[in-house]
Amino acid sequence: MRRRTRPSARALLCALTLSVLSVGALAPSAGAAQSAPRHPERSEQGESIEVFGHRGAPGYRPEHTLASYELAARMGADHIEPDLVPTKDGALVARHENEISGTTDVEQHPEFADRRTTKVVDGESVTGWFTEDFTLAELKTLRATERLPEIRQRNTIYDGRFEIPTLREIIELKRELSHELGRRIGIAPEIKHPSYFRSVGLPVEPRLVDALERNGLNTPHAEVAVQSFEVGNLRRLDRRLRVDLVQLVSSSGAPYDFTASGDPRTYADMVTPEGLRDVAEYADWVAPVTTMILPRDDQGYLEEPTRLVEHAHRAGLKVVPYTVRAENTFLPADFRSAGGASAYGDVFGFLRALLATGVDAVFADQPDTAVHTLES
């Protein structure tokens, strides 16, 4: 991955002004806009720490919309992250899940009422509307909605305003913003449910490879990092792609392709020293949930850090934990404020604690908070 290029003071001021207008941004971020950016922090390996705009900037705009991705880039994020799922006619679009009742207005479209169904996805029964049952043209008639309205009520004012974006549109946006902002914006596509989509004849991987190659992005310097919670698809992609690969790991369970094939290994096995050496055979990054680095006790307070970052670095892997969010409900008890679950806590304090473990990057729902922490 490249060394992080600092956003200009003018670009950061623009982004932070937008966030103040939309949600009343955190005061420290607003203050940061009044002075030139400082040198960003560096990881244990001496490289600048990266900021991944998790699903764009969903703390301020509905996730996986062009508006969310654009705001993340303007706030200084190095990468924007689209989760990729296919349509019935094979287009790749950005949704957190292929079941879209929680992130679109599909329920308000009577013409699609008969598309509601129940499917088994990665061993779980799910009921709703699924992207693979819609053509791209049909999906384009829907509009995005806020996924967490009880936590991010302010975002609901944007419900119905934005389309579901395609990977092609996201790549075009990345290119336009890189030119406008004078720095290279990366993308970090996550392949959702790879085993499931292969089983229904809509594999994501060949479509993603084709898109990267057609856009000149299958190179070591293309600012692309492809993610997956499964292992087999990353191993296969390692033979076809020249970009970074990111092994996502959860705090529980196992990769679904392991489960389906009877492989007994779990995510916990994958973050042992031996497991991380295996991951390093095909991936460049490991992406654990933050609690795998900074565990919490039964009351939600931080305990001593684990040695995951140390062991990953010894294996030759970079570490990008997910996901830092500013709202109390997502923060350790140490950093929560008064005001309830949706109020902002001390996200800067939590970011400093996370950065102190030596991570190389961070996924953030409010990318400006991560940028500000790195530059202050």
Side-chain angles (χ1 to χ4, degrees):
M1 303 290 279
R2 62 181 167 81
R3 292 181 181 273
R4 183 168 182 271
T5 304
R6 299 193 308 277
S8 68
R10 180 176 179 273
L12 190 56
L13 176 59
C14 176
L16 293 171
T17 300
L18 285 171
S19 66
V20 168
L21 290 174
S22 64
V23 297
L26 299 175
S29 288
Q34 299 172 8
S35 59
R38 301 179 183 179
H39 293 289
E41 289 193 26
R42 295 187 179 275
S43 69
E44 288 182 340
Q45 297 176 320
E47 295 190 4
S48 299
I49 296 172
E50 306 268 346
V51 175
F52 286 65
H54 183 245
R55 309 177 195 172
Y60 307 120
R61 300 290 187 274
E63 66 186 32
H64 293 312
T65 60
L66 292 181
S68 183
Y69 299 135
E70 179 176 357
L71 185 56
R74 292 189 184 281
M75 284 181 163
D78 299 287
H79 288 76
I80 53 179
E81 187 223 16
D83 293 340
L84 298 181
V85 293
T87 66
K88 183 178 182 178
D89 47 353
L92 294 183
V93 297
R95 289 291 88 190
H96 175 52
E97 293 291 343
N98 54 324
E99 199 289 296
I100 55 174
S101 62
T103 59
T104 73
D105 61 358
V106 65
E107 294 187 45
Q108 300 174 28
H109 287 252
E111 68 272 25
F112 299 135
D114 61 350
R115 306 284 177 94
R116 189 173 188 270
T117 188
T118 298
K119 301 188 180 191
V120 176
V121 181
D122 294 355
E124 300 289 334
S125 180
V126 183
T127 298
W129 288 261
F130 297 82
T131 59
E132 65 268 26
D133 295 332
F134 292 77
T135 66
L136 177 59
E138 289 173 332
L139 279 181
K140 282 294 188 179
T141 68
L142 306 181
R143 293 296 179 267
T145 59
E146 171 55 40
R147 186 176 65 89
L148 301 171
E150 69 284 358
I151 298 296
R152 292 171 174 166
Q153 191 272 335
R154 292 184 180 91
N155 282 7
T156 64
I157 66 172
Y158 295 101
D159 285 356
R161 299 186 68 87
F162 307 125
E163 293 183 354
I164 298 175
T166 64
L167 175 60
R168 177 179 178 180
E169 290 168 333
I170 296 165
I171 291 174
E172 290 174 352
L173 177 67
K174 153 192 156 60
R175 186 175 292 122
E176 292 169 1
L177 288 172
S178 295
H179 177 74
E180 177 187 341
L181 299 177
R183 59 188 182 88
R184 297 172 67 184
I185 308 299
I187 57 171
E190 179 186 339
I191 300 170
K192 302 295 291 190
H193 308 299
S195 289
Y196 168 76
F197 284 120
R198 282 197 305 277
S199 75
V200 298
L202 289 169
V204 172
E205 292 84 357
R207 293 168 170 84
L208 174 58
V209 171
D210 179 64
L212 294 178
E213 290 181 342
R214 281 189 288 106
N215 286 277
L217 296 176
N218 189 12
T219 73
H221 304 293
E223 315 302 336
V224 175
V226 176
Q227 310 172 74
S228 178
F229 276 101
E230 293 192 10
V231 174
N233 65 330
L234 287 181
R235 286 189 177 275
R236 291 188 293 272
L237 286 171
D238 187 41
R239 297 190 289 269
R240 299 193 61 186
L241 291 179
R242 302 176 66 198
V243 303
D244 278 6
L245 300 180
V246 184
Q247 178 64 68
L248 294 158
V249 293
S250 177
S251 57
S252 63
Y256 184 71
D257 55 336
F258 281 9
T259 301
S261 66
D263 189 321
R265 287 176 294 171
T266 66
Y267 287 122
D269 295 323
M270 294 176 68
V271 295
T272 64
E274 180 181 2
L276 290 165
R277 288 193 294 271
D278 289 341
V279 171
E281 292 178 359
Y282 59 88
D284 305 278
W285 294 74
V286 63
V289 65
T290 60
T291 54
M292 298 177 79
I293 297 173
L294 290 175
R296 306 178 190 184
D297 65 20
D298 291 342
Q299 302 301 312
Y301 290 92
L302 290 185
E303 298 182 316
E304 288 298 311
T306 68
R307 299 179 67 188
L308 192 158
V309 174
E310 174 191 346
H311 292 155
H313 286 168
R314 286 184 179 178
L317 292 165
K318 294 183 181 180
V319 182
V320 51
Y322 66 93
T323 303
V324 176
R325 299 175 168 108
E327 295 90 355
N328 280 330
T329 192
F330 303 115
L331 289 170
D334 318 58
F335 302 103
R336 294 173 196 157
S337 67
S342 63
Y344 283 154
D346 182 13
V347 66
F348 299 107
F350 180 53
L351 277 162
R352 286 192 295 270
L354 193 59
L355 294 172
T357 67
V359 299
D360 304 280
V362 63
F363 281 101
D365 274 14
Q366 290 94 353
D368 56 337
T369 63
V371 171
H372 176 82
T373 303
L374 290 170
E375 295 180 340
S376 60

